Amino acid sequence: MNFLFVSADAALITDLAWQVHREGHDVRYYIEAERDKEIGDGFVPKTDDWRAEVEWADVTVFDDIWVGSDIGTGALAQELREEGHAVVGGTPNTDRLEEDRGYAMDVLESHGVNTVEQRVFHDFDEGIEYVRRNRAPYVIKPLGEVQNVKRLLYVGNEDDGSDVVEVLRAYKQAWGHRMKGFQLQRKVEGVEIAVCGFFNGETFVDPVNFNFEHKKLFPGNIGPSTGEMGTSMFWAGRNRLFEETLGRLEPWLAEEGYVGSIDINCIVNEHGIYPLEFTPRFGYPTITLQEESFESSTAQFFYDLAHGNDPELSVHGGYQIAVRIVLPPFPFTDEKTYDENSRNAAVVFETDSREGVHIEDAKLVDGQWRAAGESGIPLVVTGKGETMQEARKRAYDRVDDIVIPNLYYRDDIGERWVDGDGDRLLAWGYLGPAGE
């Protein structure tokens, strides 16, 4: 089969394209951003003009919600579908779930899903005054262009919201020219878990994926937000957690014609499920870990998904974790630091096995794996096991066999499950069948 992969900045699907290529299919991979065009070199065949390859492709796969400065991939995917092409990608409205947090909450509420109290502001002073009148801990979530600057997400700690007020004042001075809006979301305590399903244009594929993000840079969930430093996960059926969140959006997604992965991150406690935000696209490194846990063909799965078939998906039945291996100055941007410490860094393996080792921002030069691009995230290392502890051991044993000067990573991925998150979810009844 012929697969065309289209990426804004190569963050999400390089390894997926490589996997499909290794399964024996023809692949062409397009990367929009000039700084990232070398990512995947030597691993995956490339193209400089993705539109010229659409007629050739049996399946076109978009990764992010943007390609180019102002074109949403949902609009592109919808256009190609209307022309009769098989596409993994969103729609303008599903793109909006991530771009416009207020709209996302409206969609959830209109389908009977509980939501956290939240308000969107486009004026810092109005937001500050709102917190002063409604004293409570809040989460600040930037909107629009700067929402991808993950370190700007701030989770309040003070019961009266005083720290949120001070942070908003600081953002007004430092980011007021770029942060055109922000959401204030009431902070909720509990277990953070994401519900992720693959949708084929009509219905969700069984089984469903449940994953736990580790967004802070340092172990113990300390330091700047990074997007993600690792993921732990498992697969299950349509349990209560799914049915009371993504399951209620199934008719809406079918009406939209959405095809691909969609994820809703939630806080869960004994009182209820509270969705926080959508990822209506592949997540990273979630897609890498999902791909690692597939026990059936990856290419056939995405072919069937794009063509509206019911894929026969077989997955690992235990637990899985993924660890991102990063280099300086990640998660920050500093060209001099990157040039001196990380650019073209060689990846040295102390074993012949590459099992569980996946590429993110990497290239292959004369048989040598090297860091590529500008982000400093060359690899994702995974592990599977019948227990979370076993999955952790396998992943970190593989990490120990990798040598890159200056590498760093979190060594606590999956510990939250072991330390009690799993027990709490079971005790609260969210992992059993819906209705129990």
Side-chain angles (χ1 to χ4, degrees):
M1 296 179 283
N2 298 334
F3 281 79
L4 172 63
F5 291 87
V6 183
S7 179
D9 57 10
L12 308 183
I13 53 172
T14 305
D15 192 76
L16 180 60
W18 186 36
Q19 173 63 23
V20 170
H21 183 54
R22 284 184 293 170
E23 289 182 6
H25 304 280
D26 289 330
V27 168
R28 296 176 188 174
Y29 183 24
Y30 171 83
I31 299 171
E32 174 81 13
E34 283 295 327
R35 68 183 184 278
D36 290 334
K37 284 191 179 294
E38 67 172 359
I39 292 173
D41 283 359
F43 290 104
V44 185
K46 299 286 196 63
T47 179
D48 291 326
D49 183 357
W50 70 269
R51 284 191 176 273
E53 312 291 353
V54 169
E55 294 298 330
W56 164 86
D58 295 312
V59 180
T60 299
V61 181
F62 291 101
D63 67 346
D64 212 337
I65 63 170
W66 293 104
V67 170
S69 59
D70 58 358
I71 305 173
T73 59
L76 295 173
Q78 190 174 69
E79 172 192 323
L80 294 183
R81 287 193 199 99
E82 290 171 354
E83 294 173 0
H85 300 286
V87 181
V88 175
T91 73
N93 282 336
T94 60
D95 284 356
R96 193 178 170 194
L97 293 174
E98 184 170 2
E99 286 288 290
D100 185 341
R101 298 180 191 276
Y103 171 76
M105 294 299 117
D106 289 344
V107 169
L108 287 168
E109 288 172 2
S110 68
H111 289 83
V113 180
N114 256 350
T115 60
V116 179
E117 180 185 336
Q118 57 83 32
R119 285 192 62 175
V120 171
F121 296 89
H122 298 281
D123 181 274
F124 284 95
D125 292 333
E126 287 183 12
I128 290 168
E129 185 58 30
Y130 176 82
V131 175
R132 283 175 169 164
R133 291 198 313 267
N134 302 274
R135 296 181 180 276
Y138 293 90
V139 180
I140 304 173
K141 296 186 174 184
L143 304 180
E145 172 203 0
V146 297
Q147 69 176 295
N148 289 324
V149 183
K150 300 300 183 183
R151 64 184 181 275
L152 293 181
L153 184 146
Y154 179 76
V155 180
N157 293 307
E158 301 298 330
D159 289 341
D160 63 357
S162 57
D163 57 334
V164 171
V165 168
E166 293 306 316
V167 170
L168 286 174
R169 283 176 175 162
Y171 282 2
K172 179 181 178 180
Q173 285 190 314
W175 290 89
H177 62 297
R178 288 183 60 191
M179 191 186 295
K180 303 305 182 184
F182 56 92
Q183 181 191 63
L184 287 178
Q185 192 173 74
R186 185 68 70 95
K187 183 180 176 181
V188 179
E189 300 290 348
V191 175
E192 186 174 355
I193 182 171
V195 184
C196 182
F198 286 96
F199 200 81
N200 71 352
E202 297 181 358
T203 188
F204 279 104
V205 174
D206 199 27
V208 179
N209 182 261
F210 300 88
N211 59 82
F212 303 84
E213 300 175 343
H214 299 66
K215 296 181 178 180
K216 298 288 190 175
L217 180 61
F218 300 117
N221 222 32
I222 297 168
S225 293
T226 66
E228 198 161 344
M229 287 297 289
T231 306
S232 59
M233 70 168 55
F234 63 91
W235 300 78
R238 292 180 171 231
N239 56 27
R240 178 186 169 195
L241 193 52
F242 169 81
E243 292 293 358
E244 293 185 13
T245 55
L246 283 183
R248 294 185 179 177
L249 297 184
E250 200 162 36
W252 184 79
L253 291 168
E255 187 176 338
E256 285 293 313
Y258 184 83
V259 177
S261 167
I262 184 166
D263 175 300
I264 185 165
N265 197 31
C266 307
I267 291 287
V268 176
N269 58 33
E270 65 269 35
H271 304 297
I273 304 168
Y274 304 95
L276 303 178
E277 59 191 8
F278 282 98
T279 304
R281 52 171 172 80
F282 297 124
Y284 55 96
T286 309
I287 181 56
T288 303
L289 190 52
Q290 290 167 335
E291 168 205 327
E292 172 72 14
S293 64
F294 286 4
E295 295 183 346
S296 48
S297 165
T298 300
Q300 189 64 50
F301 173 76
F302 284 103
Y303 178 90
D304 287 338
L305 199 74
H307 285 82
N309 303 329
D310 184 12
E312 295 183 4
L313 178 61
S314 176
V315 297
H316 177 256
Y319 298 86
Q320 307 90 35
I321 78 160
V323 182
R324 276 179 125 183
I325 305 298
V326 301
L327 299 170
F330 182 86
F332 303 104
T333 301
D334 184 288
E335 187 173 353
K336 181 179 179 183
T337 300
Y338 186 74
D339 286 343
E340 291 177 352
N341 296 278
S342 307
R343 189 175 300 281
N344 291 315
V347 181
V348 177
F349 295 96
E350 295 187 338
T351 175
D352 291 335
S353 174
R354 302 293 180 267
E355 187 176 358
V357 181
H358 300 263
I359 57 173
E360 189 161 337
D361 294 351
K363 60 187 176 182
L364 186 64
V365 181
D366 297 328
Q368 172 73 66
W369 291 34
R370 292 187 173 273
E374 306 285 339
S375 299
I377 319 165
L379 303 176
V380 175
V381 180
T382 63
K384 299 180 289 189
E386 294 307 306
T387 65
M388 193 70 82
Q389 285 286 42
E390 186 179 345
R392 280 176 41 78
K393 184 178 187 312
R394 287 185 177 173
Y396 285 111
D397 282 349
R398 290 166 179 165
V399 171
D400 288 343
D401 288 331
I402 296 170
V403 177
I404 313 174
N406 305 311
L407 72 79
Y408 46 105
Y409 56 90
R410 275 184 63 163
D411 64 1
D412 64 343
I413 308 301
E415 281 188 358
R416 294 201 321 248
W417 177 268
V418 178
D419 290 343
D421 279 3
D423 290 340
R424 283 188 281 273
L425 290 171
L426 287 166
W428 295 332
Y430 291 118
L431 301 185
E436 287 192 0

